[in-house]
Amino acid sequence: MQTIEDAIIIGSGPAGYTAALYMARADLEPLVFEGFAWGGLLQQTTDVENFPGFPQGIVGPELMQHFRDQSERFGARLETDDVTAVEFSPDASEPHKVWAGDDLHLARTVVLAMGAEHRKLGVPGEEELSGRGVSYCATCDAAFFKQAPTVIVGGGDSAMEEAIFLAKFAAKVDVIHRRDEFRASQIMLDRARQVPNIELVTPYTIDEFVAREGSSLTHAHLRNTVDDSTRELEITGAFIAIGHDPQSELVRGQVDLDDDGYVVTQGRSTLTSVPGVFAAGDLVDHTYRQAVTAAGTGCQAALDAEWYLRDAAPFSSEARAAQA
């Protein structure tokens, strides 16, 4: 007989591992498909100074190792494998199906925690200097650029919010945007324009990030999108704020997604449009996208799933015995 798991978690990162920790402590023995690139975006982060409990800061990969070890200590079963397909039961009358390659797994509940990826420019130097001057989160990294020349790349509300936050630390913030018109709301544009050390630089794109004098970012090459002229900026920090891509392709057509591809949850819960399927972390979060908020929703998803198993799921121990 095919074993029916109480809980399967797809994804890792702060949301997935926190859900695993809470489920493991509830004796649910969750099966966690953490993926080959386990740990989420924090695996790409150097210093983390805003996660509670680490007053001296901690590097991202080490923090995620702590998450991982703690969930495993309490009985989470970690599979370093990627889920390749899912088939969710729409009315909870049958277990949900999860495939990793050719291996089928059945579960009463599933927590989706696949996260999101920073949208990247795709220009020379961006990957090489990530974590060495190039960042995707001013809220996370602005304090490393006190009294430094910096740029924000983007034209939406998020870019303006990042610029305003960064301007509290940096000596100068140039907001680089490819058009003279911005996608940002007028109120956010007005706020950015009122900050004395923010300058809106249009219509330009980034051609290249350069580390001229060492291993960290020193310059950005810009190109005018109208006359093709170029200019160079001397900077030590560059923040890319052109959006995020939720990693939701796996569940497209299985649960409801919004227009941007984020999984839709019900009210203040983590329940998706399918009973017994829950979602947490950056997969659902348009707004905050912080490690601590992702961990919080991972806790919520675990509790929601535990309550669902207690009160609503039809696959009781008696039902399993009858199937046997």
Side-chain angles (χ1 to χ4, degrees):
M1 185 185 95
Q2 176 82 48
T3 299
I4 302 175
E5 305 285 352
D6 280 323
I8 286 177
I9 298 169
I10 305 175
S12 48
Y17 287 136
T18 301
L21 168 63
Y22 272 78
M23 286 181 158
R25 283 177 52 82
D27 290 329
L28 296 178
E29 298 182 340
L31 178 59
V32 184
F33 289 98
E34 56 181 357
F36 291 113
W38 63 268
L41 291 176
L42 280 182
Q43 287 286 27
Q44 306 169 27
T45 305
T46 51
D47 297 311
V48 179
E49 294 192 327
N50 57 2
F51 198 89
F54 298 92
Q56 305 305 315
I58 187 171
V59 295
E62 184 181 359
L63 177 60
M64 293 321 304
Q65 187 67 57
H66 286 318
F67 270 81
R68 190 175 191 264
D69 292 345
Q70 190 173 6
S71 67
E72 195 168 31
R73 173 192 166 199
F74 287 102
R77 293 168 294 145
L78 307 182
E79 292 286 342
T80 307
D81 202 355
D82 288 320
V83 170
T84 53
V86 296
E87 184 180 320
F88 298 145
S89 175
D91 58 5
S93 61
E94 298 290 337
H96 303 300
K97 298 177 181 178
V98 175
W99 283 269
D102 294 330
D103 295 330
L104 171 63
H105 302 267
L106 305 179
R108 299 166 70 192
T109 64
V110 176
V111 172
L112 307 175
M114 294 89 74
E117 286 289 338
H118 301 297
R119 199 170 295 155
K120 298 181 179 180
L121 296 173
V123 300
E126 180 181 12
E127 292 282 353
E128 296 86 344
L129 294 172
S130 178
R132 293 188 287 125
V134 175
S135 173
Y136 299 87
C137 179
T139 305
C140 309
D141 297 335
F144 297 119
F145 298 92
K146 291 180 179 177
Q147 296 306 306
T150 61
V151 299
I152 294 278
V153 183
D157 278 354
S158 293
M160 299 305 143
E161 289 169 4
E162 296 266 275
I164 292 166
F165 185 86
L166 180 59
K168 298 175 183 178
F169 301 88
K172 177 78 181 299
V173 180
D174 288 316
V175 179
I176 313 299
H177 186 50
R178 64 174 55 247
R179 293 182 294 274
D180 290 325
E181 299 80 23
F182 289 85
R183 300 187 312 277
S185 61
Q186 191 60 50
I187 189 171
M188 290 305 302
L189 274 173
D190 290 343
R191 287 177 182 172
R193 287 182 172 126
Q194 290 168 8
V195 180
N197 59 336
I198 292 178
E199 181 179 349
L200 306 182
V201 180
T202 64
Y204 282 92
T205 59
I206 300 288
D207 263 3
E208 183 180 16
F209 293 113
V210 179
R212 187 167 295 161
E213 292 132 19
S215 61
S216 297
L217 176 68
T218 58
H219 293 79
H221 293 162
L222 278 59
R223 182 174 299 277
N224 189 293
T225 59
V226 175
D227 61 20
D228 213 35
S229 61
T230 61
R231 59 183 290 193
E232 182 177 88
L233 287 180
E234 184 175 332
I235 57 172
T236 57
F239 294 84
I240 316 303
I242 58 174
H244 291 74
D245 293 316
Q247 302 300 287
S248 58
E249 281 304 312
L250 177 70
V251 295
R252 185 174 294 277
Q254 295 284 322
V255 298
D256 287 349
L257 308 178
D258 68 15
D259 291 341
D260 295 317
Y262 290 86
V263 175
V264 176
T265 54
Q266 298 181 19
R268 297 176 62 186
S269 77
T270 61
L271 181 63
T272 70
S273 57
V274 176
V277 179
F278 307 86
D282 286 359
L283 190 66
V284 303
D285 183 5
H286 291 253
T287 307
Y288 302 104
R289 294 190 292 265
Q290 299 295 302
V292 68
T293 53
T297 59
C299 166
Q300 290 176 257
L303 294 175
D304 284 343
E306 183 184 353
W307 296 333
Y308 174 86
L309 288 167
R310 180 193 66 194
D311 298 334
F315 293 100
S316 63
S317 57
E318 292 81 10
R320 287 197 231 183
Q323 284 187 347

